[in-house]
PDB file of all heavy atoms in Angstrom:
ATOM      1  N   ASP A 369       7.480 -41.224  56.316  1.00  0.00           N
ATOM      2  CA  ASP A 369       6.796 -39.954  56.353  1.00  0.00           C
ATOM      3  C   ASP A 369       5.452 -40.062  56.921  1.00  0.00           C
ATOM      4  O   ASP A 369       4.956 -39.188  57.624  1.00  0.00           O
ATOM      5  CB  ASP A 369       6.818 -39.275  55.017  1.00  0.00           C
ATOM      6  CG  ASP A 369       8.208 -38.805  54.687  1.00  0.00           C
ATOM      7  OD1 ASP A 369       8.942 -38.404  55.595  1.00  0.00           O
ATOM      8  OD2 ASP A 369       8.623 -38.824  53.460  1.00  0.00           O
ATOM      9  N   ALA A 370       4.737 -41.254  56.701  1.00  0.00           N
ATOM     10  CA  ALA A 370       3.387 -41.422  57.233  1.00  0.00           C
ATOM     11  C   ALA A 370       3.549 -41.572  58.769  1.00  0.00           C
ATOM     12  O   ALA A 370       2.785 -40.993  59.579  1.00  0.00           O
ATOM     13  CB  ALA A 370       2.701 -42.634  56.653  1.00  0.00           C
ATOM     14  N   ALA A 371       4.580 -42.363  59.195  1.00  0.00           N
ATOM     15  CA  ALA A 371       4.821 -42.458  60.625  1.00  0.00           C
ATOM     16  C   ALA A 371       5.169 -41.164  61.304  1.00  0.00           C
ATOM     17  O   ALA A 371       4.720 -40.820  62.357  1.00  0.00           O
ATOM     18  CB  ALA A 371       5.902 -43.487  60.889  1.00  0.00           C
ATOM     19  N   THR A 372       5.880 -40.291  60.534  1.00  0.00           N
ATOM     20  CA  THR A 372       6.236 -38.988  61.004  1.00  0.00           C
ATOM     21  C   THR A 372       4.981 -38.156  61.239  1.00  0.00           C
ATOM     22  O   THR A 372       4.832 -37.458  62.312  1.00  0.00           O
ATOM     23  CB  THR A 372       7.186 -38.254  60.028  1.00  0.00           C
ATOM     24  OG1 THR A 372       8.362 -39.021  59.930  1.00  0.00           O
ATOM     25  CG2 THR A 372       7.503 -36.842  60.517  1.00  0.00           C
ATOM     26  N   ALA A 373       4.116 -38.212  60.273  1.00  0.00           N
ATOM     27  CA  ALA A 373       2.793 -37.364  60.404  1.00  0.00           C
ATOM     28  C   ALA A 373       2.019 -37.877  61.623  1.00  0.00           C
ATOM     29  O   ALA A 373       1.489 -37.032  62.328  1.00  0.00           O
ATOM     30  CB  ALA A 373       2.040 -37.528  59.099  1.00  0.00           C
ATOM     31  N   ALA A 374       2.030 -39.210  61.811  1.00  0.00           N
ATOM     32  CA  ALA A 374       1.267 -39.744  63.006  1.00  0.00           C
ATOM     33  C   ALA A 374       1.943 -39.274  64.261  1.00  0.00           C
ATOM     34  O   ALA A 374       1.174 -38.849  65.269  1.00  0.00           O
ATOM     35  CB  ALA A 374       1.273 -41.241  62.872  1.00  0.00           C
ATOM     36  N   ALA A 375       3.222 -39.278  64.334  1.00  0.00           N
ATOM     37  CA  ALA A 375       3.894 -38.813  65.561  1.00  0.00           C
ATOM     38  C   ALA A 375       3.602 -37.339  65.812  1.00  0.00           C
ATOM     39  O   ALA A 375       3.411 -36.902  66.980  1.00  0.00           O
ATOM     40  CB  ALA A 375       5.372 -39.074  65.451  1.00  0.00           C
ATOM     41  N   CYS A 376       3.565 -36.575  64.729  1.00  0.00           N
ATOM     42  CA  CYS A 376       3.239 -35.112  64.857  1.00  0.00           C
ATOM     43  C   CYS A 376       1.809 -34.927  65.431  1.00  0.00           C
ATOM     44  O   CYS A 376       1.614 -34.101  66.329  1.00  0.00           O
ATOM     45  CB  CYS A 376       3.318 -34.430  63.499  1.00  0.00           C
ATOM     46  SG  CYS A 376       5.010 -34.192  62.919  1.00  0.00           S
ATOM     47  N   VAL A 377       0.901 -35.752  64.942  1.00  0.00           N
ATOM     48  CA  VAL A 377      -0.492 -35.625  65.482  1.00  0.00           C
ATOM     49  C   VAL A 377      -0.527 -36.079  66.976  1.00  0.00           C
ATOM     50  O   VAL A 377      -1.149 -35.287  67.763  1.00  0.00           O
ATOM     51  CB  VAL A 377      -1.417 -36.510  64.650  1.00  0.00           C
ATOM     52  CG1 VAL A 377      -2.768 -36.646  65.356  1.00  0.00           C
ATOM     53  CG2 VAL A 377      -1.604 -35.904  63.248  1.00  0.00           C
ATOM     54  N   ALA A 378       0.138 -37.046  67.322  1.00  0.00           N
ATOM     55  CA  ALA A 378       0.116 -37.466  68.728  1.00  0.00           C
ATOM     56  C   ALA A 378       0.769 -36.305  69.550  1.00  0.00           C
ATOM     57  O   ALA A 378       0.247 -35.929  70.664  1.00  0.00           O
ATOM     58  CB  ALA A 378       1.017 -38.739  68.885  1.00  0.00           C
ATOM     59  N   ALA A 379       1.855 -35.718  69.060  1.00  0.00           N
ATOM     60  CA  ALA A 379       2.439 -34.592  69.826  1.00  0.00           C
ATOM     61  C   ALA A 379       1.535 -33.364  69.900  1.00  0.00           C
ATOM     62  O   ALA A 379       1.484 -32.710  70.882  1.00  0.00           O
ATOM     63  CB  ALA A 379       3.784 -34.257  69.168  1.00  0.00           C
ATOM     64  N   ARG A 380       0.833 -33.120  68.777  1.00  0.00           N
ATOM     65  CA  ARG A 380      -0.129 -32.030  68.740  1.00  0.00           C
ATOM     66  C   ARG A 380      -1.190 -32.152  69.790  1.00  0.00           C
ATOM     67  O   ARG A 380      -1.550 -31.214  70.479  1.00  0.00           O
ATOM     68  CB  ARG A 380      -0.699 -31.887  67.340  1.00  0.00           C
ATOM     69  CG  ARG A 380      -1.844 -30.789  67.193  1.00  0.00           C
ATOM     70  CD  ARG A 380      -1.242 -29.421  67.233  1.00  0.00           C
ATOM     71  NE  ARG A 380      -2.249 -28.347  67.081  1.00  0.00           N
ATOM     72  CZ  ARG A 380      -2.916 -27.756  68.107  1.00  0.00           C
ATOM     73  NH1 ARG A 380      -2.640 -28.049  69.317  1.00  0.00           N
ATOM     74  NH2 ARG A 380      -3.785 -26.810  67.829  1.00  0.00           N
ATOM     75  N   ILE A 381      -1.725 -33.380  69.924  1.00  0.00           N
ATOM     76  CA  ILE A 381      -2.754 -33.667  70.897  1.00  0.00           C
ATOM     77  C   ILE A 381      -2.213 -33.446  72.291  1.00  0.00           C
ATOM     78  O   ILE A 381      -2.947 -33.034  73.173  1.00  0.00           O
ATOM     79  CB  ILE A 381      -3.403 -35.069  70.657  1.00  0.00           C
ATOM     80  CG1 ILE A 381      -4.165 -35.075  69.374  1.00  0.00           C
ATOM     81  CG2 ILE A 381      -4.230 -35.487  71.861  1.00  0.00           C
ATOM     82  CD1 ILE A 381      -4.542 -36.435  68.878  1.00  0.00           C
ATOM     83  N   ARG A 382      -0.980 -33.727  72.496  1.00  0.00           N
ATOM     84  CA  ARG A 382      -0.349 -33.529  73.819  1.00  0.00           C
ATOM     85  C   ARG A 382       0.259 -32.121  73.999  1.00  0.00           C
ATOM     86  O   ARG A 382       0.898 -31.830  74.924  1.00  0.00           O
ATOM     87  CB  ARG A 382       0.727 -34.549  74.011  1.00  0.00           C
ATOM     88  CG  ARG A 382       0.333 -35.989  74.118  1.00  0.00           C
ATOM     89  CD  ARG A 382      -0.528 -36.267  75.388  1.00  0.00           C
ATOM     90  NE  ARG A 382      -0.627 -37.626  75.666  1.00  0.00           N
ATOM     91  CZ  ARG A 382      -1.841 -38.215  75.851  1.00  0.00           C
ATOM     92  NH1 ARG A 382      -2.963 -37.522  75.780  1.00  0.00           N
ATOM     93  NH2 ARG A 382      -1.908 -39.498  76.169  1.00  0.00           N
ATOM     94  N   GLY A 383      -0.038 -31.236  73.030  1.00  0.00           N
ATOM     95  CA  GLY A 383       0.283 -29.834  73.302  1.00  0.00           C
ATOM     96  C   GLY A 383       1.392 -29.197  72.466  1.00  0.00           C
ATOM     97  O   GLY A 383       1.658 -28.038  72.630  1.00  0.00           O
ATOM     98  N   ALA A 384       2.135 -29.983  71.613  1.00  0.00           N
ATOM     99  CA  ALA A 384       3.174 -29.359  70.796  1.00  0.00           C
ATOM    100  C   ALA A 384       2.537 -28.429  69.787  1.00  0.00           C
ATOM    101  O   ALA A 384       1.420 -28.662  69.341  1.00  0.00           O
ATOM    102  CB  ALA A 384       3.998 -30.464  70.099  1.00  0.00           C
ATOM    103  N   ARG A 385       3.309 -27.371  69.396  1.00  0.00           N
ATOM    104  CA  ARG A 385       2.781 -26.474  68.308  1.00  0.00           C
ATOM    105  C   ARG A 385       3.721 -26.334  67.107  1.00  0.00           C
ATOM    106  O   ARG A 385       3.314 -25.848  66.105  1.00  0.00           O
ATOM    107  CB  ARG A 385       2.668 -25.056  68.962  1.00  0.00           C
ATOM    108  CG  ARG A 385       1.502 -24.942  69.931  1.00  0.00           C
ATOM    109  CD  ARG A 385       0.154 -25.240  69.234  1.00  0.00           C
ATOM    110  NE  ARG A 385      -0.913 -25.315  70.216  1.00  0.00           N
ATOM    111  CZ  ARG A 385      -1.655 -24.315  70.602  1.00  0.00           C
ATOM    112  NH1 ARG A 385      -1.462 -23.053  70.131  1.00  0.00           N
ATOM    113  NH2 ARG A 385      -2.613 -24.468  71.488  1.00  0.00           N
ATOM    114  N   LEU A 386       5.005 -26.817  67.290  1.00  0.00           N
ATOM    115  CA  LEU A 386       5.910 -26.652  66.151  1.00  0.00           C
ATOM    116  C   LEU A 386       6.448 -28.036  65.782  1.00  0.00           C
ATOM    117  O   LEU A 386       6.790 -28.874  66.685  1.00  0.00           O
ATOM    118  CB  LEU A 386       7.096 -25.740  66.508  1.00  0.00           C
ATOM    119  CG  LEU A 386       6.639 -24.325  66.796  1.00  0.00           C
ATOM    120  CD1 LEU A 386       6.928 -23.956  68.294  1.00  0.00           C
ATOM    121  CD2 LEU A 386       7.384 -23.292  65.900  1.00  0.00           C
ATOM    122  N   PHE A 387       6.513 -28.317  64.455  1.00  0.00           N
ATOM    123  CA  PHE A 387       6.811 -29.653  64.012  1.00  0.00           C
ATOM    124  C   PHE A 387       7.900 -29.588  62.964  1.00  0.00           C
ATOM    125  O   PHE A 387       7.724 -29.018  61.860  1.00  0.00           O
ATOM    126  CB  PHE A 387       5.528 -30.310  63.439  1.00  0.00           C
ATOM    127  CG  PHE A 387       4.438 -30.277  64.455  1.00  0.00           C
ATOM    128  CD1 PHE A 387       3.610 -29.191  64.557  1.00  0.00           C
ATOM    129  CD2 PHE A 387       4.324 -31.326  65.366  1.00  0.00           C
ATOM    130  CE1 PHE A 387       2.620 -29.101  65.548  1.00  0.00           C
ATOM    131  CE2 PHE A 387       3.326 -31.214  66.370  1.00  0.00           C
ATOM    132  CZ  PHE A 387       2.469 -30.149  66.460  1.00  0.00           C
ATOM    133  N   ARG A 388       9.113 -30.093  63.298  1.00  0.00           N
ATOM    134  CA  ARG A 388      10.293 -30.074  62.408  1.00  0.00           C
ATOM    135  C   ARG A 388      10.256 -31.338  61.560  1.00  0.00           C
ATOM    136  O   ARG A 388      10.464 -32.367  62.063  1.00  0.00           O
ATOM    137  CB  ARG A 388      11.542 -29.933  63.261  1.00  0.00           C
ATOM    138  CG  ARG A 388      12.812 -29.839  62.492  1.00  0.00           C
ATOM    139  CD  ARG A 388      13.987 -29.751  63.461  1.00  0.00           C
ATOM    140  NE  ARG A 388      15.246 -29.690  62.717  1.00  0.00           N
ATOM    141  CZ  ARG A 388      15.877 -30.681  62.213  1.00  0.00           C
ATOM    142  NH1 ARG A 388      15.401 -31.908  62.320  1.00  0.00           N
ATOM    143  NH2 ARG A 388      17.022 -30.524  61.558  1.00  0.00           N
ATOM    144  N   VAL A 389      10.006 -31.103  60.285  1.00  0.00           N
ATOM    145  CA  VAL A 389       9.855 -32.341  59.362  1.00  0.00           C
ATOM    146  C   VAL A 389      10.556 -32.181  58.044  1.00  0.00           C
ATOM    147  O   VAL A 389      10.753 -31.029  57.573  1.00  0.00           O
ATOM    148  CB  VAL A 389       8.355 -32.587  59.130  1.00  0.00           C
ATOM    149  CG1 VAL A 389       7.636 -33.005  60.409  1.00  0.00           C
ATOM    150  CG2 VAL A 389       7.646 -31.470  58.465  1.00  0.00           C
ATOM    151  N   HIS A 390      10.800 -33.277  57.372  1.00  0.00           N
ATOM    152  CA  HIS A 390      11.350 -33.291  56.012  1.00  0.00           C
ATOM    153  C   HIS A 390      10.172 -33.181  54.998  1.00  0.00           C
ATOM    154  O   HIS A 390      10.234 -32.378  54.090  1.00  0.00           O
ATOM    155  CB  HIS A 390      12.119 -34.574  55.740  1.00  0.00           C
ATOM    156  CG  HIS A 390      13.325 -34.806  56.630  1.00  0.00           C
ATOM    157  ND1 HIS A 390      13.258 -35.518  57.801  1.00  0.00           N
ATOM    158  CD2 HIS A 390      14.621 -34.431  56.459  1.00  0.00           C
ATOM    159  CE1 HIS A 390      14.459 -35.530  58.396  1.00  0.00           C
ATOM    160  NE2 HIS A 390      15.323 -34.890  57.577  1.00  0.00           N
TER     161      HIS A 390
END
Side-chain angles (χ1 to χ4, degrees):
D369 289 326
T372 299
C376 288
V377 168
R380 174 72 179 94
I381 289 168
R382 294 293 196 233
R385 288 297 171 91
L386 297 116
F387 305 87
R388 182 181 179 277
V389 295
H390 298 90

